[in-house]
Amino acid sequence: MTPRRLAQLFTVVSGLATLLALLFASLPARANEEAPITRLIEEWLSSPHGNYHSRSFTYWNKEGEVPTNCATCHSETGFHDFLGVDGSAAGTIDRAGVINSPIGCASCHTSQAHALDSVRFPSGVEVTGLGNSATCTVCHQGRQSGAAVTKAVAELGEDDVSADLTFINIHYAVAAATMHGADTASGYHYPGKTYAGRFQHVPSANTCVACHDPHTTKVAEDSCMSCHRGVGNTRDIRTRHTDFDGDGNIQEGVHGEIATLHGKLYEAIQTYAQAILSSPIGYAKGRNPYFFRDTNGDGEISDDEAVRDNQYRSWSPRLLKAAYNYQVVSKDPAGYVHNPAYLLQLLHDSLESLSSAVEVDMAAVRRP
């Protein structure tokens, strides 16, 4: 049977699985109570991994297949290919993935997935002893690292614009990259600085599935509140009393500290691009390649400006490093839980670097 025919067959089977799930879900309550698999399927279908309409699994529909370099995480067939479930060599991708094939039951419930215990990150570092977090880590580690930034800037002067530089995007949903911090060097690390490694939480909340339901991916926030008492939600949690962002507020959660520093870094990036490079820059969330020329200098990126032909091209090493770290923080919205110290360090050091070229008030900002 040809690979294309196998892909077509898989699509048909996936469709039948969905129909069966919907059929089970429509059965009377007693029937549902007698079939716990029905509840699990319903939970999975409500999750991002089971969303057949998500751009994560439909972006390549016009092409008819998921490109090889994207297939591992954007199709179940690709994930099987990576694990070697299909008989191919494990750790590599040999063929394009099937469109409309989300990460389903068969992605993680295979002997190969259960046996997986180590994952190699984009920095080249291999992390072992991951246990049941290994399958999550495969797709939530990002696709770039600080090493890519170091290689790109090479021996260029910090403020020299180079046509050879382009924005480097860590990718999306990079929770594992944040969690392991300095151990996998996913952010750009400034020379002479030390960075927080793997964030070690309490034993009962120290793995992916300890905090996230493996089927819905929802966070078990009630368990957080059992220890972190006196707060309304996880964003209000903080374990240190230092005012990292310099706004004088030590009552806010560490999420607020990170958010304020993130905003300050964006302002500094815009100030630097205008004052030093004479080329205004802006960021458009969700619009690849994210950084664009601010053609009218209003500090905002409109829909007309957020187009590929208008992507920012006046990169200097200093700007690229700061922008990369800005994106690292942007692409893990829950980074304040996964490794707050690491993100605060990346933001602080990026701001500090820009402050040596333009005016940035660092007097009250503190580094963890």
Side-chain angles (χ1 to χ4, degrees):
M1 187 176 291
T2 65
R4 182 172 293 277
R5 180 57 180 162
L6 282 172
Q8 292 171 340
L9 180 61
F10 181 88
T11 302
V12 172
V13 172
S14 296
L16 288 173
T18 304
L19 290 174
L20 285 172
L22 294 174
L23 176 62
F24 277 122
S26 66
L27 291 175
R30 178 172 295 180
N32 274 316
E33 290 173 359
E34 295 173 355
I37 188 64
T38 304
R39 175 178 57 81
L40 294 179
I41 292 175
E42 288 177 338
E43 291 177 349
W44 167 71
L45 285 172
S46 71
S47 77
H49 292 157
N51 185 355
Y52 281 83
H53 304 291
S54 169
R55 281 172 59 84
S56 298
F57 309 115
T58 61
Y59 182 79
W60 304 271
N61 281 7
K62 290 183 179 179
E63 286 72 29
E65 61 183 22
V66 182
T68 303
N69 63 337
C70 304
T72 297
C73 301
H74 295 280
S75 70
E76 185 168 274
T77 55
F79 198 66
H80 281 178
D81 189 344
F82 176 81
L83 293 175
V85 175
D86 59 358
S88 63
T92 61
I93 295 293
D94 302 307
R95 60 182 66 89
V98 174
I99 58 173
N100 298 316
S101 61
I103 301 302
C105 305
S107 298
C108 300
H109 293 290
T110 64
S111 59
Q112 291 86 348
H114 291 167
L116 188 66
D117 192 51
S118 64
V119 174
R120 188 173 298 279
F121 279 67
S123 62
V125 174
E126 183 175 10
V127 178
T128 60
L130 289 169
N132 57 17
S133 293
T135 50
C136 309
T137 302
V138 170
C139 291
H140 291 283
Q141 60 174 289
R143 297 190 61 185
Q144 296 287 358
S145 71
V149 179
T150 299
K151 181 179 179 180
V153 301
E155 300 299 323
L156 295 172
E158 278 289 86
D159 302 308
D160 294 340
V161 173
S162 172
D164 294 330
L165 294 180
T166 59
F167 178 61
I168 296 174
N169 178 34
I170 190 172
H171 207 53
Y172 313 101
V174 295
T178 304
M179 184 179 295
H180 288 277
D183 295 348
T184 56
S186 297
Y188 174 76
H189 296 174
Y190 287 86
K193 302 286 188 177
T194 58
Y195 293 86
R198 167 73 157 89
F199 181 55
Q200 298 291 346
H201 214 140
V202 295
S204 62
N206 205 32
T207 66
C208 302
V209 296
C211 295
H212 293 268
D213 183 281
H215 298 106
T216 65
T217 73
K218 292 181 180 178
V219 178
E221 291 197 21
D222 290 345
S223 62
C224 303
M225 302 311 169
S226 66
C227 291
H228 298 282
R229 297 179 181 273
V231 297
N233 57 62
T234 56
R235 291 192 172 192
D236 296 330
I237 295 172
R238 68 181 298 144
T239 57
R240 306 185 191 191
H241 299 294
T242 303
D243 178 21
F244 298 109
D245 59 20
D247 66 356
N249 183 5
I250 59 172
Q251 302 304 314
E252 63 182 348
V254 73
H255 172 271
E257 301 281 350
I258 292 172
T260 302
L261 275 181
H262 198 225
K264 286 187 175 183
L265 178 57
Y266 183 52
E267 293 176 3
I269 284 172
Q270 289 189 300
T271 299
Y272 172 87
Q274 173 67 63
I276 304 301
L277 308 182
S278 301
S279 180
I281 191 174
Y283 182 86
K285 180 181 179 181
R287 299 291 291 271
N288 190 285
Y290 301 100
F291 284 97
F292 300 91
R293 290 189 305 123
D294 181 11
T295 54
N296 57 13
D298 66 351
E300 304 289 338
I301 298 298
S302 66
D303 287 340
D304 291 337
E305 291 174 313
V307 293
R308 187 164 291 276
D309 288 344
N310 189 49
Q311 65 181 289
Y312 196 77
R313 300 181 185 278
S314 301
W315 294 103
S316 70
R318 192 188 306 277
L319 182 61
L320 181 61
K321 295 169 185 177
Y324 176 79
N325 280 346
Y326 180 86
Q327 184 76 331
V328 169
V329 178
S330 296
K331 292 308 175 182
D332 186 7
Y336 65 100
V337 175
H338 297 140
N339 198 336
Y342 185 61
L343 296 192
L344 287 168
Q345 289 167 347
L346 294 179
L347 292 170
H348 175 278
D349 295 347
S350 299
L351 269 170
E352 187 177 63
S353 172
L354 291 172
S355 72
S356 66
V358 295
E359 184 175 349
V360 177
D361 186 4
M362 298 290 292
V365 177
R366 297 290 179 267
R367 188 181 196 272

